Amino acid sequence: MEIDPRRLRVLREVARRGGVARAAEALHLTPSAVSQQLAQLEREVGLPLIDRSQRSVSLTPAGRVLAGYADRVEEELTEAKRELTRFTERLAGPVRIAAFPTVITHVLVPAMRELARRHPRITPVIREIYGQPALQELRLGSVDVLITEQDMGLPPLSLPSLTTRLLYVDEYRVVVPPSWPDPPSTVEDLMRRPWVAGDPAQACGQALERLAGLHGSEPRKVHVITEFGPTLALVAAGHGVAIVPELALLDVPEGEVRVSDIRDIGARRLDTVTRVSRTRSGEPDPVQAVVIKAIEEATAALAPALRARLSGHPAADPSTPPHDRCPGGGGS
């Protein structure tokens, strides 16, 4: 009996994702190609692996046993790749990173530039995905490094299968239209104004809910927006006030919105999240480790630009190496 390990990977994805279509999407194959690979694997082992008697695809007992071995094969291959990196001075391979737009723009792009210079054989692969779908992809192994955001008023993400590392604490600021002759000066005044609110599942939406609860108010959410660009555009046009993290202000031209003096709104935390190593050595993947280091350095290098944006002074030359800049952190 000869078993092709590539077909084992297909069976593994079908078992983990609960269907052919989802496995095909994860493997970048067509559903027809996945079905063909499964049929060939069944011929190789001489047993039915997929129960096709029901509308939804499920594994037979033999299929579940073989999928368990497929997991072990994948773990052994991961360990082998990790061990082989000790025999070369140059780290190599793809690292799949999931993040959201401001992190991609202000952190991952400069981090990729440094990675290309220091480790040209490492290939970052970026996906714009966040929230629960991103966590699911990380657990399934389709993503290697995830950058998350969460209101600091909530407990930190803590799951036994994941490792969370604080990347940055990004303070919230209240932005108001520059055309308003009487901008709000207190939180109570804020709560009486129209809001361009964030999605309740995202950090800025969580911050508004927390703030309203503390003051016993119900904010008038005229608009609910998930991205900072449209949020800031609506504020600039006079449609309401908004809570945004300081890093989002790097994307708006000077003077387009007014940054309120109201503080103590809180902050969001940005974290890098990876899966806990399941290998015998227990050591983190060395390629992922250098990618996370580059992300942390790019985040720290944002501090001068952020301070300049909030103080009105020119930012430091972005070509200056990170170790020559002032220490600090940036967000996404």
Side-chain angles (χ1 to χ4, degrees):
M1 180 189 301
E2 294 290 335
I3 300 178
D4 189 328
R6 292 171 297 182
R7 296 191 181 103
L8 280 182
R9 179 169 289 176
V10 173
L11 178 67
R12 177 175 181 263
E13 286 299 329
V14 172
R16 282 149 52 88
R17 294 179 179 272
V20 169
R22 291 178 179 175
E25 183 180 359
L27 294 166
H28 305 290
L29 297 172
T30 64
S32 175
V34 169
S35 296
Q36 290 172 18
Q37 292 291 313
L38 292 173
Q40 181 61 33
L41 184 59
E42 288 179 320
R43 287 192 288 270
E44 289 174 352
V45 301
L47 290 167
L49 303 174
I50 304 296
D51 184 354
R52 298 176 176 85
S53 64
Q54 305 176 27
R55 293 187 61 183
S56 59
V57 172
S58 61
L59 271 60
T60 65
R64 291 193 292 272
V65 168
L66 193 56
Y69 279 100
D71 275 334
R72 289 162 61 179
V73 168
E74 193 70 22
E75 290 169 16
E76 290 293 326
L77 289 173
T78 300
E79 179 74 6
K81 289 187 287 186
R82 193 188 316 276
E83 288 293 313
L84 288 173
T85 59
R86 298 189 295 110
F87 297 95
T88 177
E89 295 179 356
R90 304 183 71 185
L91 299 174
V95 176
R96 299 158 298 181
I97 309 167
F100 38 95
T102 43
V103 162
I104 294 171
T105 300
H106 298 296
V107 175
L108 295 187
V109 169
M112 289 173 67
R113 187 162 51 241
E114 276 301 301
L115 280 170
R117 184 178 67 83
R118 300 178 191 174
H119 303 283
R121 297 178 63 188
I122 292 179
T123 308
V125 179
I126 297 174
R127 290 184 62 186
E128 183 186 336
I129 181 172
Y130 41 88
Q132 286 301 319
L135 282 170
Q136 177 72 359
E137 292 300 302
L138 180 65
R139 290 194 190 97
L140 290 173
S142 298
V143 167
D144 301 309
V145 178
L146 169 62
I147 301 179
T148 63
E149 65 148 20
Q150 182 177 292
D151 183 63
M152 290 290 287
L154 298 175
L157 179 68
S158 179
L159 295 170
S161 61
L162 303 178
T163 298
T164 300
R165 183 184 178 102
L166 179 63
L167 180 64
Y168 182 63
V169 176
D170 195 7
E171 185 180 353
Y172 296 126
R173 300 301 296 267
V174 174
V175 289
V176 302
S179 60
W180 282 6
D182 57 339
S185 57
T186 65
V187 173
E188 289 74 15
D189 193 7
L190 272 179
M191 289 300 161
R192 292 190 288 268
R193 303 299 180 103
W195 278 88
V196 182
D199 188 296
Q202 296 177 320
C204 289
Q206 294 163 356
L208 178 56
E209 294 298 319
R210 173 175 47 77
L211 193 67
L214 287 173
H215 290 267
S217 302
E218 184 64 35
R220 182 157 53 97
K221 300 179 183 179
V222 179
H223 309 282
V224 178
I225 309 294
T226 60
E227 302 291 345
F228 295 136
T231 295
L232 292 163
L234 285 166
V235 173
H239 293 288
V241 300
I243 294 173
V244 298
E246 288 185 339
L247 187 60
L249 297 174
L250 292 175
D251 294 321
V252 61
E254 189 77 34
E256 190 166 290
V257 297
R258 179 183 295 175
V259 181
S260 171
D261 292 331
I262 299 173
R263 304 295 289 270
D264 299 326
I265 303 299
R268 66 172 180 170
R269 62 178 292 147
L270 304 179
D271 295 298
T272 56
V273 187
T274 55
R275 294 187 306 280
V276 174
S277 175
R278 297 174 62 187
T279 61
R280 289 189 302 272
S281 66
E283 294 295 322
D285 185 290
V287 177
Q288 293 179 22
V290 299
V291 169
I292 291 173
K293 181 179 179 183
I295 290 172
E296 291 173 341
E297 290 177 351
T299 303
L302 282 170
L306 189 55
R307 286 196 299 267
R309 174 64 183 84
L310 294 172
S311 64
H313 298 301
D317 184 350
S319 65
T320 305
H323 59 268
D324 291 336
R325 298 178 181 171
C326 298
S332 142

